[in-house]
């Protein structure tokens, strides 16, 4: 018998010289629809008031997409802005990830529709469903593909047309949400800025707190499901609120701990824009000063997967962060899902 040990597979040879590649956000872009719906407008639709909405949520107005403007349109507009800013052409993109809970259709994926709208050739494309946490989930997935060398350029989009799954007669939910999209282009570049670390989590045991019960395989569309309003978003607001604060604080703390950072070293905290009271509670518990925290929910309400993506784009355009600054993003949504990421801009 030969004593020679044969390699079990070619992998060690293939991995020779393998170096994980750092992942950078090259550019960001966002788009919100033109139509503005104010709290005063909502007062004419349901039994509510500007005072109630402002004091309970911090929201003053939100944007609603036109009837012929779909999630893929919002996503494509945000993506094109990010591509312009980064000088990236469609044929450079290797993968498109669209995070959304309001796809144009259950299938094909909205990412495939976006691919056509931005002229991205025949790159890989898929949707990701992690509700309001989708954009951070998407950034982490993109980072894995880039670090491994599988793809060079990845486009991550958070996009929602939530107005289509809202019961506009339900004051408990209709005042909270809006439509919009945000996009980021990721590549490996030699300069230092990039995704430093992220934390992702989920608790399917609390799936019922926030859901759209019908339209899937469990409850397909029927005349009865329609008349019972099962195709609308449902939420246990109070329980969601408590879970959101706890999960966001833990995720953010875990992320900071992994990087060995103190909150005072973070230039800009970008939390999911669902409710000002949630943002305040999370900021307090993290020890973040008000001037560190980016807030735009008074203008857009909760845009789910688009929320932190739009906020990141606005924070950059408003000069709140500059290259080299550290950003902490922290999100929470249906699933339940949550996540946080530290980025060196
Ligand atoms: N106008 C006036 N009154 C209202 C309205 C309204 N728009 N909505 C509810 N009320 C009433 C309720 O009916 C209730 O009246 P009642 O006491 O007579 O029954 C009263 O106001 C108080 O309601 P609460 O539920 O106690 O109000 P709360 O302070 O909890 O605020 C809210 C409600 C804003 C929904 C809050 O619970 C919240 O923000 N929850 C978290 C939502 C969230 O973060 N979602 C994130 C994920 S979203 C995603 O993933 C898609």
């Amino acid at each position: 018998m030969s004593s020679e040990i044969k390699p079990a597979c070619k992998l060690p040879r293939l991995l020779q010289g393998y170096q994980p590649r750092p992942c950078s956000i090259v550019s960001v872009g966002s788009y919100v629809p033109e139509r503005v719906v104010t709290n005063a407008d909502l007062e004419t639709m349901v039994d509510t008031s500007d005072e109630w909405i402002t004091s309970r949520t911090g929201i003053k107005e939100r944007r609603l997409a036109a009837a012929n403007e779909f999630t893929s349109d919002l996503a494509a507009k945000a993506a094109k802005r990010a591509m312009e800013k980064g000088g990236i052409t469609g044929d450079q993109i290797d993968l498109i990830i669209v995070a959304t809970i309001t796809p144009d259709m259950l299938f094909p994926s909205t990412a495939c529709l976006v691919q056509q709208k931005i002229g991205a050739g025949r790159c890989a494309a898929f949707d990701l469903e992690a509700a309001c946490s989708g954009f951070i989930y998407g950034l982490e997935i993109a980072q894995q593909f880039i670090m491994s060398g599988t793809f060079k350029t990845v486009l991550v989009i958070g996009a929602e047309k939530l107005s289509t799954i809202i019961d506009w007669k339900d004051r408990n939910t209709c005042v909270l949400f809006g439509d919009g999209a945000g996009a980021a282009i990721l590549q490996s570049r030699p300069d230092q800025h990039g995704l430093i670390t992220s934390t992702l989590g989920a608790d399917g045991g609390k799936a019922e707190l926030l859901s759209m019960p019908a339209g899937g395989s469990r409850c397909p569309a029927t005349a009865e499901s329609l008349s019972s309003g099962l195709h609308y978003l449902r939420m246990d607001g109070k329980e969601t609120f408590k879970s959101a604060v706890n999960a966001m604080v833990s995720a953010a703390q875990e992320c900071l701990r992994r990087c060995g950072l103190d909150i005072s070293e973070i230039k800009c905290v970008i939390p999911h824009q669902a409710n000002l009271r949630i943002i305040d509670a999370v900021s307090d518990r993290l020890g973040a000063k008000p001037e560190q925290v980016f807030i735009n929910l008074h203008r857009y309400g909760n845009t789910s997967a688009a929320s932190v993506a739009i906020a990141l784009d606005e924070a950059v355009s408003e000069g709140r962060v500059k290259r080299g600054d550290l950003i902490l993003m922290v999100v929470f949504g249906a699933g339940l899902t949550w996540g946080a990421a530290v980025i060196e801009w």
Side-chain angles (χ1 to χ4, degrees):
M1 257 175 64
S2 158
S3 60
E4 185 192 349
I5 300 169
K6 290 189 178 155
C9 70
K10 292 178 179 163
L11 203 58
R13 194 152 49 84
L14 292 175
L15 288 176
Q16 256 173 29
Y18 169 78
Q19 283 284 335
R21 301 192 291 174
C23 176
S24 313
I25 298 184
V26 174
S27 59
V28 283
S30 65
Y31 172 79
V32 289
E34 275 174 31
R35 185 177 163 207
V36 177
V37 175
T38 64
N39 290 349
D41 295 326
L42 290 176
E43 285 176 0
T44 67
M45 296 160 62
V46 287
D47 180 13
T48 190
S49 65
D50 174 49
E51 194 282 318
W52 192 96
I53 302 171
T54 307
S55 61
R56 298 295 178 108
T57 72
I59 300 165
K60 297 300 281 182
E61 58 187 43
R62 66 289 291 144
R63 301 297 183 98
L64 298 200
N68 63 353
E69 195 177 31
F70 313 120
T71 297
S72 62
D73 297 310
L74 308 181
K77 284 177 182 164
K80 281 183 182 167
R81 288 181 179 175
M83 288 162 70
E84 266 169 41
K85 286 190 211 170
I88 301 288
T89 54
D91 55 6
Q92 284 178 268
I93 296 170
D94 300 310
L95 168 66
I96 301 171
I97 303 173
V98 176
T100 186
I101 54 167
T102 47
D104 286 24
M105 298 172 264
L106 271 182
F107 68 89
S109 72
T110 300
C112 287
L113 306 176
V114 170
Q115 183 207 57
Q116 288 301 293
K117 290 181 182 178
I118 63 170
R122 297 176 70 179
C123 66
F126 65 85
D127 285 3
L128 184 168
E129 211 275 61
C132 305
S133 309
F135 189 68
I136 302 278
Y137 268 65
L139 290 183
E140 177 57 33
I141 293 168
Q143 150 138 300
Q144 297 299 326
F145 277 121
I146 288 169
M147 282 176 71
S148 66
T150 307
F151 292 126
K152 200 164 168 243
T153 306
V154 181
L155 169 63
V156 181
I157 309 170
E160 302 286 7
K161 188 176 179 184
L162 291 170
S163 54
T164 55
I165 60 162
I166 298 301
D167 179 355
W168 290 98
K169 295 191 189 85
D170 177 12
R171 68 177 185 174
N172 290 293
T173 51
C174 77
V175 303
L176 303 173
F177 298 96
D179 302 333
I185 295 173
L186 288 83
Q187 282 185 332
S188 181
R189 286 199 169 173
D191 43 2
Q192 288 302 301
H193 57 268
L195 250 75
I196 296 174
T197 194
S198 71
T199 319
L200 304 175
D203 180 3
K206 291 186 176 165
E208 303 297 330
L209 285 186
L210 197 47
S211 68
M212 188 175 87
S217 59
R218 179 154 141 187
C219 182
T222 59
E224 202 189 334
S225 71
L226 279 172
S227 64
S228 311
L230 298 177
H231 296 267
Y232 293 129
L233 175 151
R234 292 189 169 189
M235 179 172 71
D236 178 337
K238 271 197 192 318
E239 282 308 311
T240 306
F241 190 112
K242 278 188 247 164
S243 300
V245 174
N246 292 332
M248 288 170 80
V249 170
S250 310
Q253 284 173 338
E254 171 64 13
C255 231
L256 291 172
R257 193 193 58 74
R258 282 196 206 166
C259 305
L261 285 169
D262 184 80
I263 189 72
S264 60
E265 295 171 87
I266 299 290
K267 180 73 195 298
C268 189
V269 179
I270 301 182
H272 174 47
Q273 310 281 314
N275 185 316
L276 190 57
R277 290 186 295 141
I278 294 179
I279 294 175
D280 286 345
V282 171
S283 308
D284 269 6
R285 283 174 55 183
L286 290 177
K289 297 199 178 96
E291 59 271 24
Q292 283 175 284
V293 184
F294 187 84
I295 296 168
N296 64 4
L297 105 156
H298 50 291
R299 288 185 282 130
Y300 306 133
N302 180 352
T303 57
S304 191
S307 160
V308 287
I310 298 171
L312 175 62
D313 181 43
E314 293 195 344
V316 172
S317 346
E318 290 173 20
R320 291 279 300 268
V321 282
K322 303 206 166 36
R323 286 293 177 198
D325 285 342
L326 294 173
I327 301 172
L328 171 65
M329 298 173 83
V330 55
V331 292
F332 175 85
L336 299 175
T337 54
W338 55 83
V342 172
I343 294 164
E344 185 184 295
W345 184 248

